[in-house]
């Protein structure tokens, strides 16, 4: 049972928090219909993302079994059988689409279906194409954001969309940087890696891409807080006070990547670091107090 749970990667459901962003910044938490729709979208994406993890582990099982760290994964180690993995995959994928369909939330069905199709293509082909692999990760995040905004009738700020785009690009490149680092230090040949696209990256290239995207993340968030449309929507011009919190959180994550080898598992990193948890809590509280 525990191995099956590990296969689902429940700690990664934290990424599906992008579905909830619209509720906060769209002032829609007081509308029970919208809250219910977003909740359905969140659960559907949790099922869909777990289905994708099962698919990825099933597809990569032989390569993972030869990898010094990934060989302990449930499918690669044999603790979850192949028939059980296939049944779990089918159940989760079907459930992620049928759940919003049951409630007639067809826009959410479309977003979840697009996410599944994207990740099938990613697993079998696109994750081996340099740069395209990271943009696929970003597209998955943006589909979550679309699910929690446009799909339930919330119009997100253009600056918020751009900030989310840059943030997820940063996280994607940070993941590749974390993956390429240990393989070099452990003497693992990139040509034999389970993630073949790493042979096309270098630490120097990823450092530059991370520097660009992290700078743009902070800049676009700051511009979002200063946008007159943001002030009108939220009834305050003081969201700029949250910028230092966001900046600290991003810089702390950079510290974890370069000094503690984090970045490969974003969900686990965010949950395990006390300072990042405090920064996220402080940001959420400050935003809620300012916009409520």
């Amino acid at each position: 049972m525990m191995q099956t749970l590990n296969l689902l990667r429940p700690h990664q459901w934290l990424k599906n928090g992008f579905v909830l962003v619209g509720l906060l910044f769209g002032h829609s938490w007081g509308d029970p219909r919208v809250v219910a729709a977003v909740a359905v979208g969140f659960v559907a994406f949790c099922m869909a993302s777990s289905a994708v993890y099962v698919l990825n582990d099933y597809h990569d099982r032989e390569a993972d079994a030869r990898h010094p760290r990934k060989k302990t994964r449930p499918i690669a180690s044999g603790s979850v059988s192949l028939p059980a993995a296939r049944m779990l995959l089918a159940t989760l994928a079907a459930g992620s689409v049928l759940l919003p369909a049951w409630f007639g939330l067809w826009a959410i069905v479309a977003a979840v279906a697009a996410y599944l199709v994207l990740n099938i293509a990613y697993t079998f082909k696109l994750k081996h194409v340099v740069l395209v692999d990271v943009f696929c990760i970003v597209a998955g995040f943006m589909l979550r954001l679309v699910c929690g905004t446009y799909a339930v009738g919330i119009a997100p700020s253009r600056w918020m969309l751009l900030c989310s785009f840059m943030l997820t690009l940063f996280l994607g490149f940070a993941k590749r940087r974390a993956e390429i680092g240990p393989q070099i230090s452990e003497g693992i040949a990139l040509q034999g890696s389970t993630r073949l696209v790493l042979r096309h990256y270098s630490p120097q290239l990823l450092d530059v891409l991370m520097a660009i995207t992290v700078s743009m993340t902070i800049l676009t968030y700051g511009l979002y807080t200063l946008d007159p449309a943001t002030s009108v929507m939220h009834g305050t011009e003081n969201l700029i006070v949250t910028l230092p919190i966001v900046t600290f959180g991003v810089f702390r994550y950079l510290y974890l990547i370069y000094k503690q080898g984090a970045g490969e598992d974003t969900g686990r990193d965010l949950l395990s670091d006390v300072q990042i948890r405090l920064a996220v809590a402080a940001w959420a509280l400050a935003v809620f107090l300012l916009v409520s």
Side-chain angles (χ1 to χ4, degrees):
M1 182 64 181
M2 183 58 68
Q3 288 298 321
T4 301
L5 186 62
N6 290 337
L7 182 60
L8 301 184
R9 314 267 221 289
H11 65 280
Q12 297 287 9
W13 293 346
L14 183 65
K15 298 176 182 177
N16 297 320
F18 269 70
V19 176
L20 308 176
V21 170
L23 279 179
L24 179 61
F25 288 98
H27 288 258
S28 300
W29 58 81
D31 187 335
R33 180 191 61 82
V34 174
V35 171
V38 170
V40 169
F42 177 79
V43 174
F45 262 97
C46 287
M47 297 174 69
S49 58
S50 287
V52 168
Y53 287 121
V54 176
L55 173 64
N56 185 71
D57 284 7
Y58 183 89
H59 180 264
D60 293 343
R61 63 190 184 278
E62 294 181 0
D64 286 348
R66 298 189 296 268
H67 193 278
R69 287 179 290 111
K70 296 180 181 180
K71 64 183 179 181
T72 59
R73 287 180 173 179
I75 297 178
S77 65
S79 56
V80 174
S81 68
L82 298 185
R86 289 193 293 267
M87 179 63 69
L88 186 60
L89 170 59
T91 301
L92 289 169
S96 67
V97 175
L98 293 176
L99 176 64
W102 177 266
F103 292 98
L105 299 170
W106 301 111
I108 294 179
V109 171
V112 173
Y115 176 83
L116 290 172
V117 170
L118 170 70
N119 279 280
I120 291 172
Y122 175 82
T123 297
F124 287 97
K125 179 65 177 178
L126 298 181
K127 70 178 181 180
H128 302 307
V129 183
V130 66
L131 295 180
V132 172
D133 61 319
V134 173
F135 275 81
C136 285
I137 295 174
V138 173
F141 278 104
M142 299 308 289
L143 282 169
R144 291 175 171 95
L145 189 60
V146 166
C147 176
T149 52
Y150 289 117
V152 294
I154 300 172
S157 162
R158 289 172 294 180
W159 282 117
M160 181 55 66
L161 288 174
L162 183 57
C163 178
S164 300
F165 174 69
M166 288 298 170
L167 173 62
T168 51
L169 267 180
F170 163 64
L171 294 176
F173 289 128
K175 179 176 174 63
R176 292 293 180 263
R177 183 64 175 84
E179 290 169 339
I180 202 172
Q183 298 199 64
I184 292 175
S185 62
E186 294 171 11
I188 301 172
L190 293 181
Q191 286 76 10
S193 169
T194 57
R195 197 173 297 283
L196 300 179
V197 75
L198 293 181
R199 70 180 68 177
H200 300 293
Y201 287 109
S202 68
Q204 294 80 10
L205 172 62
L206 290 167
D207 288 341
V208 171
L209 294 174
M210 287 172 59
I212 293 170
T213 52
V214 76
S215 300
M216 290 299 295
T217 297
I218 295 172
L219 175 62
T220 52
Y221 181 79
L223 291 172
Y224 167 74
T225 64
L226 295 173
D227 187 357
T230 300
S231 300
V232 171
M233 173 179 287
H234 300 304
T236 178
E237 297 180 349
N238 297 323
L239 274 176
I240 188 65
V241 302
T242 63
L243 182 59
I245 303 174
V246 171
T247 304
F248 172 81
V250 171
F251 286 177
R252 174 65 182 176
Y253 195 60
L254 281 171
Y255 169 82
L256 295 178
I257 291 169
Y258 284 102
K259 290 298 185 180
Q260 297 188 17
E264 189 169 354
D265 190 333
T266 306
R268 196 178 301 279
D269 295 337
L270 296 179
L271 290 173
S272 62
D273 187 72
V274 175
Q275 293 188 37
I276 287 185
R277 292 206 307 269
L278 289 174
V280 171
W283 174 83
L285 177 62
V287 170
F288 180 76
L289 293 175
L290 287 168
V291 306
S292 61

